[in-house]
Amino acid sequence: MKRTVYLLATLILMVCASWLYLESDPGDALPRNGEKAPGFIGSPAEPKPVQVTRAEQHPFLAATGRNSMHNDAGQTDTYTWAGPLGKEIEVLNRRFHRITGSCVAQSLDSKGRLLGTCVSPFGVTLVARDPDSLEILARQVITRWLPIGEKFSGGVYFHLDHEDRILLASNNLEVQRWELVDAGNELEWVLFESISIADTLNRARREQHHVIDVMPDWQGNYWFITRAGIVGMIGRDGSNGQAFALGIDRAEGIDNALAVGPEGVFLVSNHAMYRFNLDATGQIRQTWRSPYDRGSAPKPGTMGWGSGTTPSLILNDFVAVTDNADGQVNVMVYNQKDGSVACKQPIFPADKGTTENSLAVVGYSLIAENNLGYSGPKNVPKSEPGLARVDVNPDGSGCSLAWENLAVTSPSAVPKVSLANGLIYLYTRDEANPEDMHAWYFTGVDFHTGEIVFKALTGVGWQWNNHYGSISITPDGTAYVGHMGGVVKVRDAEQKSP
């Protein structure tokens, strides 16, 4: 009996020690393998600024461009400042986890600290980094889960609010705000506020809820959505909680984040596009619902059956997503006020296109990338090429295909655009490399023409795959890309501080 107890205690200690080791900060760079790939392709870009009207600042979020994965409440993925031009590119990286850990998005707080969430096989962790060295300054586990084979939830999407606090929804069914505080000689994350939404969700439908996103409306109320198609709202003081299950004759799921503007709250389910508001009595009102063509089945490279795009707001006029139609996929543009279709523009070759990432918005232009065929970070990264720009007529009379580049392959990165230099930023492979090589490039594409300008190698190996992570660009012109090994920093050499 004593021997059994001893062996059991030893096993428990070994498991605990292994867990502590795996969860500890590796504190080093992600190593590259020995495969050879060109370090730089193309030539440095000459800035070609784009002059467009920008959406107004959300009153309850941090400054536009640094408050979320998609830059702002309208999910535009566009920056007013410049990113790298490809001038003597320098690359720095840091691992997050000893097995695999993807730091999916980065934001910059008012004190210049890089904030983000990182996902590992053990859950979601809130992380603060030094933007120069990428050293981790503070970390806080938000959700413990084993996400292998599951769709993400529980804090992967987050927003930096107007008080410099991280806003997210945990798998404990709470709306949380986290504050980074100085605790003597180190920084630490402190839970500043927590509002339970469990009862609110259960009143709509009792089940195991997985909250994707939470964002304030223009009045400061918190809106949230779940994977199983529940949309809800709760006041900033925790009052007036209410929720609404989507679906008319069948249940509808949600795979993407919210978009919020002065006109209301917008979301896309796997069946339809929606706008929600609060009526005069403070009750949730479905302002409009507009079905789209979800096709006969999911396409390879998508996470669900339906639109793969988070809604993107074009000022206060339109909201855009892509559908999942058989044959050619379409960019769908709706009037924000009444949900009528302003235009429908086919993109990419028939049966060879789909989009699983948010559309970038540049004035009345939309940027879409092709993700068809992408099948996960460890697989040979094959996907159909394609990048398209669709221009929407400001009067809502239609739209047109400005250009389409079928020579660039960006398997899963969220495209970002710099208005200051006119570049679209992608995370790509290169057709000149062997088909089975996991070589990844930070890539600049001309917004005006769709032509590739430069590609800068970040690393070789499957852990350099960003797997739907976001590109983030800070006002000093530095780009950060979350990948399966951690995060990589890319900047022009001439940007170095003296």
Side-chain angles (χ1 to χ4, degrees):
M1 181 67 180
K2 290 183 178 179
R3 177 176 174 79
T4 301
V5 172
Y6 173 77
L7 290 174
L8 181 60
T10 302
L11 179 61
I12 291 172
L13 286 173
M14 291 176 63
V15 170
C16 290
S18 298
W19 178 82
L20 289 171
Y21 173 76
L22 291 175
E23 281 288 78
S24 64
D25 179 13
D28 60 4
L30 177 68
R32 302 188 190 189
N33 65 26
E35 294 183 85
K36 299 293 184 180
F40 188 85
I41 300 168
S43 58
E46 293 297 327
K48 299 179 183 178
V50 183
Q51 302 295 329
V52 295
T53 301
R54 293 283 289 156
E56 57 191 281
Q57 169 68 40
H58 192 301
F60 291 93
L61 292 181
T64 294
R66 60 179 186 86
N67 62 38
S68 65
M69 176 186 291
H70 296 298
N71 297 23
D72 50 45
Q75 314 285 24
T76 68
D77 293 297
T78 299
Y79 295 95
T80 56
W81 50 79
L85 292 170
K87 297 183 177 180
E88 299 180 25
I89 287 285
E90 295 183 334
V91 176
L92 175 69
N93 80 89
R94 178 160 174 150
R95 286 198 298 171
F96 172 69
H97 197 272
R98 297 182 192 279
I99 300 175
T100 179
S102 176
C103 297
V104 293
Q106 316 298 319
S107 293
L108 202 67
D109 71 5
S110 63
K111 295 183 179 179
R113 298 168 300 201
L114 206 62
L115 313 180
T117 50
C118 298
V119 180
S120 78
F122 295 89
V124 181
T125 302
L126 186 59
V127 175
R129 294 179 184 271
D130 181 300
D132 294 323
S133 67
L134 298 183
E135 176 188 359
I136 294 178
L137 305 174
R139 53 193 290 157
Q140 173 66 47
V141 174
I142 298 298
T143 300
R144 289 213 175 275
W145 60 331
L146 292 174
I148 299 171
E150 298 179 9
K151 296 177 180 179
F152 64 81
S153 61
V156 176
Y157 279 119
F158 71 91
H159 304 272
L160 185 64
D161 75 8
H162 64 304
E163 295 177 322
D164 235 19
R165 298 186 176 104
I166 291 290
L167 170 68
L168 52 80
S170 75
N171 272 0
N172 295 328
L173 304 183
E174 295 172 340
V175 173
Q176 298 180 344
R177 289 205 293 158
W178 289 87
E179 185 173 19
L180 191 60
V181 300
D182 190 346
N185 295 325
E186 60 182 20
L187 296 173
E188 68 177 34
W189 288 105
V190 173
L191 183 58
F192 177 80
E193 182 180 37
S194 180
I195 301 173
S196 176
I197 54 175
D199 289 344
T200 300
L201 287 168
N202 286 330
R203 284 196 297 271
R205 190 168 60 223
R206 187 171 290 276
E207 62 192 15
Q208 185 176 2
H209 302 287
H210 298 281
V211 183
I212 304 173
D213 190 20
V214 58
M215 202 191 311
D217 61 19
W218 240 244
Q219 290 71 46
N221 304 299
Y222 294 125
W223 289 74
F224 47 88
I225 50 177
T226 74
R227 286 278 173 196
I230 295 177
V231 55
M233 185 281 307
I234 198 164
R236 293 183 68 81
D237 60 356
S239 66
N240 196 27
Q242 50 191 295
F244 177 95
L246 301 180
I248 297 176
D249 56 355
R250 73 191 77 184
E252 298 182 16
I254 303 173
D255 290 316
N256 301 286
L258 293 166
V260 177
E263 295 292 325
V265 175
F266 299 84
L267 65 92
V268 63
S269 77
N270 52 18
H271 286 265
M273 182 72 215
Y274 289 87
R275 172 184 154 188
F276 285 90
N277 296 85
L278 295 183
D279 64 19
T281 67
Q283 297 301 301
I284 289 180
R285 177 167 62 92
Q286 180 183 298
T287 309
W288 54 257
R289 176 184 187 272
S290 186
Y292 62 83
D293 187 348
R294 69 193 297 253
S296 58
K299 289 185 170 69
T302 60
M303 294 184 181
W305 183 357
S307 175
T309 54
T310 290
S312 297
L313 302 186
I314 303 176
L315 301 176
N316 298 331
D317 300 328
F318 308 108
V319 56
V321 294
T322 58
D323 64 14
N324 189 55
D326 294 336
Q328 277 189 287
V329 68
N330 300 285
V331 171
M332 301 295 301
V333 181
Y334 304 88
N335 287 292
Q336 288 187 24
K337 295 194 183 312
D338 60 13
S340 60
V341 176
C343 65
K344 175 181 177 180
Q345 177 61 51
I347 54 173
F348 309 134
D351 300 318
K352 292 187 176 182
T354 193
T355 300
E356 184 60 28
N357 280 319
S358 174
L359 302 168
V361 179
V362 183
Y364 287 91
S365 296
L366 300 165
I367 303 298
E369 75 174 13
N370 193 355
N371 306 125
L372 186 79
Y374 177 72
S375 57
K378 287 190 176 182
N379 297 330
V380 175
K382 293 180 179 178
S383 61
E384 291 292 332
L387 187 70
R389 171 180 150 186
V390 173
D391 292 347
V392 181
N393 297 339
D395 62 2
S397 61
C399 52
S400 59
L401 187 64
W403 50 255
E404 196 169 64
N405 184 334
L406 299 180
V408 58
T409 303
S410 181
S412 69
V414 178
K416 294 298 179 82
V417 182
S418 165
L419 300 179
N421 61 26
L423 287 177
I424 303 166
Y425 292 108
L426 305 171
Y427 197 62
T428 74
R429 301 180 66 236
D430 189 75
E431 63 279 358
N433 292 334
E435 287 189 5
D436 61 348
M437 178 183 283
H438 289 260
W440 294 93
Y441 291 85
F442 180 78
T443 300
V445 174
D446 190 317
F447 165 79
H448 305 276
T449 65
E451 296 177 355
I452 298 172
V453 181
F454 70 85
K455 292 185 175 186
L457 182 68
T458 58
V460 179
W462 74 266
Q463 286 188 306
W464 293 91
N465 185 341
N466 80 308
H467 189 53
Y468 296 110
S470 180
I471 299 168
S472 303
I473 301 172
T474 51
D476 67 352
T478 303
Y480 300 86
V481 185
H483 54 68
M484 292 304 295
V487 64
V488 63
K489 172 182 175 180
V490 181
R491 68 185 303 174
D492 290 337
E494 64 179 27
Q495 296 171 204
K496 289 189 299 184
S497 301

